[in-house]
Amino acid sequence: MRSDVERAIEKFRINASGSQKHIEIAETMLHDDETVLFVTPTKLKRPGRRNGVPQVLFLTDKRIFSNSRGFLNRYTTESTSLGEVVSVNFTTDKTYAYIEINSPTKKQSIALTGELYMLKQVYQEFETAVNNYKAQQAAQNNAPQPDIADQIEKLAHLRDKGIITEEEFQTKKADLLSRM
């Protein structure tokens, strides 16, 4: 099991017994460049169904990812980028707490059980992950772009020193000018 998955299970005191194999199967679909912040076996509520579909849900620093076992033990996966999430809500009833994830194309309702203070921490983890992802994306989009004229000047300097050839200079210069 990945160390970030183990940390998430321990941090939120998730009872993963009986779901170990399901978690391990879903874990193989995680990307190497993402960090797991929360994982839990749960049930996915579907419209028109009384009982939820068993699934494993992961919250990473990039997406919400679920893997559910359905008809004939076939696994289906669903993934939502944190950038797509419009809102995260928290509600409770007599039996469960629900974290609702809303995006323009779908609404997910994740049923959780446990102590209320811990469930609120889980909700905060979701909300923080979405906010952090969006802030990171905004910062990347607002990062100053290097001036193309300065880059061409630096390339000319490298060419003049013999570090790159005239052909390499012309190729890179054409590439830079095409971006204008």
Side-chain angles (χ1 to χ4, degrees):
M1 190 174 296
R2 286 175 40 156
S3 61
D4 56 347
V5 172
E6 289 177 347
R7 271 193 308 275
I9 288 171
E10 186 177 308
K11 177 180 179 180
F12 293 103
R13 300 184 195 133
I14 300 300
N15 180 2
S17 62
S19 300
Q20 207 71 5
K21 185 163 180 70
H22 196 135
I23 290 172
E24 289 171 2
I25 289 168
E27 190 179 66
T28 64
M29 295 173 206
L30 293 168
H31 303 140
D32 291 338
D33 68 337
E34 60 188 339
T35 302
V36 174
L37 305 172
F38 176 74
V39 60
T40 188
T42 185
K43 293 192 184 268
L44 178 65
K45 289 180 71 177
R46 302 235 189 229
R49 283 192 157 172
R50 222 176 340 158
N51 296 325
V53 176
Q55 73 169 353
V56 173
L57 178 98
F58 288 92
L59 169 66
T60 76
D61 59 342
K62 294 180 176 38
R63 64 187 173 137
I64 299 166
F65 168 78
S66 64
N67 185 17
S68 50
R69 187 174 54 202
F71 186 66
L72 297 175
N73 283 331
R74 292 195 177 164
Y75 289 90
T76 52
T77 59
E78 193 171 322
S79 182
T80 303
S81 164
L82 295 182
E84 296 175 45
V85 175
V86 175
S87 66
V88 179
N89 300 312
F90 181 79
T91 60
T92 61
D93 64 18
K94 293 179 182 177
T95 311
Y96 294 103
Y98 300 94
I99 296 177
E100 294 175 357
I101 310 296
N102 299 298
S103 71
T105 57
K106 62 186 162 202
K107 177 180 180 178
Q108 269 186 299
S109 183
I110 303 152
L112 302 169
T113 59
E115 296 181 38
L116 188 58
Y117 80 93
M118 187 61 74
L119 299 173
K120 286 182 179 181
Q121 287 179 0
V122 172
Y123 162 69
Q124 283 297 321
E125 191 78 25
F126 274 80
E127 197 169 62
T128 301
V130 169
N131 291 337
N132 287 346
Y133 182 85
K134 288 183 177 185
Q136 181 182 27
Q137 294 301 306
Q140 286 176 355
N141 291 339
N142 293 331
Q145 299 299 315
D147 184 41
I148 291 175
D150 286 344
Q151 289 182 352
I152 293 172
E153 192 175 309
K154 288 177 185 176
L155 285 171
H157 181 71
L158 294 174
R159 177 201 57 201
D160 295 344
K161 286 191 154 206
I163 296 172
I164 64 173
T165 67
E166 178 66 30
E167 186 179 312
E168 291 170 323
F169 170 76
Q170 291 299 332
T171 302
K172 188 65 177 168
K173 178 182 166 185
D175 178 51
L176 289 168
L177 289 173
S178 72
R179 295 181 196 178
M180 291 181 99

